[in-house]
Amino acid sequence: MKLLTTRRLNLRSLKLSDAADVSALMTPKVSRWLTNFPTPFSTTDAASRIRRIGEAEAAGRACVFGFERMEDRAFVGWFGVYLNATRSFGVLGYWLGEKYQGAGFMREGAPVALAVAKKRLNIIALQAFIHPDNLPSLALAQSLGLAAVGEKMVYASARDQDELCTRVATP
């Protein structure tokens, strides 16, 4: 995947060498908003996830970008679009490490990553499931053209329970 840049970020393919950073950034305060990133999330867990994403990308089922801060090459999080089982729409998944939140990195990188993912995966329709109290994530989804269309119980493998999420989708 070609390296993309924004004013402050490099958007690039995930690498196995990112596993230690992903593990370290997946704190309880980050994981609590994500359905499938438990804590602790070991380096081995992260490497396995990165491998599976690489396989999904090779099969044309996903497009995921690692976000790297240009000034120091720090891995700060990722943004991905994953095709649903029928390949009829893309599901968004994104997160930033706790110490990188609030700096506008996701707002800066997400539109660029999403534009490439939509083209690469040939999708128009998108959706995401966001915890109703995760206001920054809901605001980001809205800025990307998604709107709240209801609530749904979603299985959160990270906590082995169903959780209420706001479903956002393209109109």
Side-chain angles (χ1 to χ4, degrees):
M1 186 180 322
K2 181 181 170 187
L3 175 71
L4 302 172
T5 59
T6 66
R7 188 171 62 81
R8 300 177 297 159
L9 296 170
N10 291 320
L11 283 60
R12 59 166 175 77
S13 296
L14 297 175
K15 304 179 288 193
L16 283 177
S17 59
D18 294 326
D21 289 330
V22 171
S23 174
L25 292 173
M26 198 47 58
T27 63
K29 287 184 179 178
V30 173
S31 172
R32 69 176 268 193
W33 302 117
L34 306 172
T35 59
N36 62 358
F37 279 89
T39 54
F41 195 70
S42 71
T43 300
T44 301
D45 294 333
S48 177
R49 178 80 50 99
I50 291 167
R51 275 189 208 93
R52 286 194 313 272
I53 287 171
E55 291 166 3
E57 286 182 317
R61 294 188 325 265
C63 184
V64 181
F65 290 94
F67 283 13
E68 179 182 82
R69 190 169 54 188
M70 268 188 210
E71 72 181 56
D72 58 3
R73 302 281 193 235
F75 187 90
V76 302
W78 81 40
F79 180 94
V81 179
Y82 312 85
L83 289 177
N84 73 323
T86 63
R87 296 180 178 239
S88 58
F89 60 86
V91 179
L92 300 181
Y94 48 87
W95 61 271
L96 288 172
E98 192 175 338
K99 64 184 178 180
Y100 302 110
Q101 295 175 4
F105 290 130
M106 193 58 71
R107 282 218 185 237
E108 181 177 326
V112 174
L114 180 58
V116 171
K118 286 169 71 174
K119 184 175 181 182
R120 192 168 287 153
L121 299 173
N122 194 28
I123 54 172
I124 297 171
L126 297 164
Q127 74 173 1
F129 294 96
I130 301 170
H131 190 285
D133 294 334
N134 190 345
L135 300 181
S137 186
L138 289 165
L140 177 74
Q142 184 177 19
S143 76
L144 295 172
L146 287 78
V149 293
E151 293 184 324
K152 180 179 179 179
M153 295 300 287
V154 174
Y155 178 68
S157 60
R159 290 165 292 283
D160 192 28
Q161 64 185 22
D162 288 331
E163 296 177 354
L164 184 65
C165 289
T166 299
R167 179 176 172 262
V168 296
T170 50

